[in-house]
């Protein structure tokens, strides 16, 4: 089985806490699902299996970031808002990538890390489905990775935004649930098989 990296995108206080500057209501729906996913990965790692890795993506802006020309000030590097929520806090040995743009690949070392680790498949989770998740997935494809989206591990500010994001992601990734993903992996199957929309059927 090829090696996978599960990216947890922006599950930070400013997005996933009700007091956050860009609170995304959908995070409450996916946090328990991601906790279950974390448990599965960490148990595998504890057994000496390193074929799935958790990679925590952390938005960490400078105070006068260009992003704030179009969005509220949020996730300033070193502040509470940019820190991970306690329910999904990274553990020692799990890689953290800081970003200042929507995509976790844009001017970060994510691609270098993935290539050093011989990872071929990128699995996206986190917020927002239609913004940072989609942007990261698109850049993963552009960098020739296989891409999987976990539909119950991503969300947006509204259900509508989330569903529209999933439609877009279904064009070029494999959209599946966390249980479908882990079940396929445990059976030695490639969860990515059937990805995308090769017959142009997505509407």
């Amino acid at each position: 089985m090829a090696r996978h990296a599960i990216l947890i995108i922006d599950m930070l206080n400013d997005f996933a806490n009700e007091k956050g500057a860009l609170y995304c209501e959908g995070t409450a729906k996916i946090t328990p699902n991601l906790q279950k996913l974390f448990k599965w990965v960490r148990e595998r790692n504890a057994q000496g299996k390193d074929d799935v890795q958790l990679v925590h993506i952390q938005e960490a802006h400078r105070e006068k970031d260009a992003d704030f020309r179009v969005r509220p000030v949020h996730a300033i590097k070193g502040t509470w808002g940019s820190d991970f929520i306690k329910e999904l806090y990274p553990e020692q040995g799990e890689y953290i990538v800081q970003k200042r743009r929507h995509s976790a690949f844009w001017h970060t070392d994510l691609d270098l890390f993935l290539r050093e680790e011989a990872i071929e498949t990128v699995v996206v989770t986190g917020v927002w489905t239609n913004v940072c998740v989609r942007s990261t997935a698109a850049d993963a494809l552009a960098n020739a990775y296989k891409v999987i989206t976990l539909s119950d591990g991503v969300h947006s500010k509204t259900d509508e935004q989330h569903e529209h994001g999933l439609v877009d992601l279904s064009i070029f990734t494999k959209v599946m649930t966390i249980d479908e993903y882990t079940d396929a992996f445990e059976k030695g199957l490639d969860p990515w098989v059937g990805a995308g929309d090769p017959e142009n059927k997505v509407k």
Side-chain angles (χ1 to χ4, degrees):
M1 177 73 72
R3 303 189 74 210
H4 288 206
I6 298 176
L7 309 187
I8 308 93
I9 300 170
D10 294 340
M11 292 300 287
L12 314 174
N13 288 321
D14 261 351
F15 297 99
N17 186 293
E18 292 182 358
K19 297 179 181 178
L22 275 179
Y23 176 55
C24 176
E25 289 87 342
T27 56
K29 299 178 181 180
I30 64 172
T31 297
N33 302 336
L34 291 176
Q35 287 178 304
K36 180 174 68 173
L37 182 63
F38 278 31
K39 184 174 185 292
W40 175 75
V41 175
R42 288 167 175 169
E43 286 178 351
R44 290 182 65 85
N45 294 165
Q47 295 167 8
K49 301 173 182 176
D50 67 349
D51 47 4
V52 185
Q53 295 190 32
L54 296 175
V55 180
H56 302 266
I57 309 301
Q58 180 184 30
E59 199 152 293
H61 291 289
R62 68 187 188 96
E63 290 185 0
K64 295 183 179 180
D65 204 295
D67 194 44
F68 304 150
R69 298 171 186 167
V70 294
R71 299 295 282 151
V73 175
H74 63 279
I76 299 294
K77 184 175 182 177
T79 66
W80 171 86
S82 182
D83 199 7
F84 302 96
I85 59 172
K86 63 181 185 300
E87 295 90 344
L88 298 173
Y89 217 81
E91 291 188 352
Q92 185 174 0
E94 295 172 353
Y95 202 62
I96 296 172
V97 174
Q98 292 189 337
K99 68 182 178 72
R100 289 177 47 212
R101 295 294 182 265
H102 293 158
S103 172
F105 284 91
W106 188 250
H107 290 285
T108 74
D109 74 340
L110 177 58
D111 183 56
L112 175 62
F113 169 77
L114 296 174
R115 296 189 187 284
E116 286 178 336
E117 295 295 317
I119 287 167
E120 298 178 8
T121 302
V122 170
V123 183
V124 292
T125 71
V127 291
W128 298 17
T129 312
N130 57 315
V131 185
C132 293
V133 172
R134 185 178 66 176
S135 297
T136 298
D139 278 353
L141 179 71
N143 282 285
Y145 294 100
K146 298 177 179 179
V147 190
I148 295 171
T149 302
L150 299 183
S151 57
D152 54 349
V154 296
H155 220 290
S156 293
K157 187 174 183 180
T158 67
D159 289 341
E160 183 180 28
Q161 290 174 341
H162 168 63
E163 293 299 331
H164 284 314
L166 286 180
V167 170
D168 289 348
L169 286 159
S170 71
I171 295 172
F172 61 94
T173 80
K174 174 68 174 290
V175 178
M176 61 198 312
T177 67
I178 291 172
D179 284 345
E180 289 170 341
Y181 172 74
T182 56
D183 184 62
F185 208 97
E186 291 292 344
K187 291 178 178 176
L189 304 174
D190 183 354
W192 178 82
V193 171
D197 181 32
E199 297 181 3
N200 197 30
K201 290 184 178 181
V202 172
K203 296 181 179 180

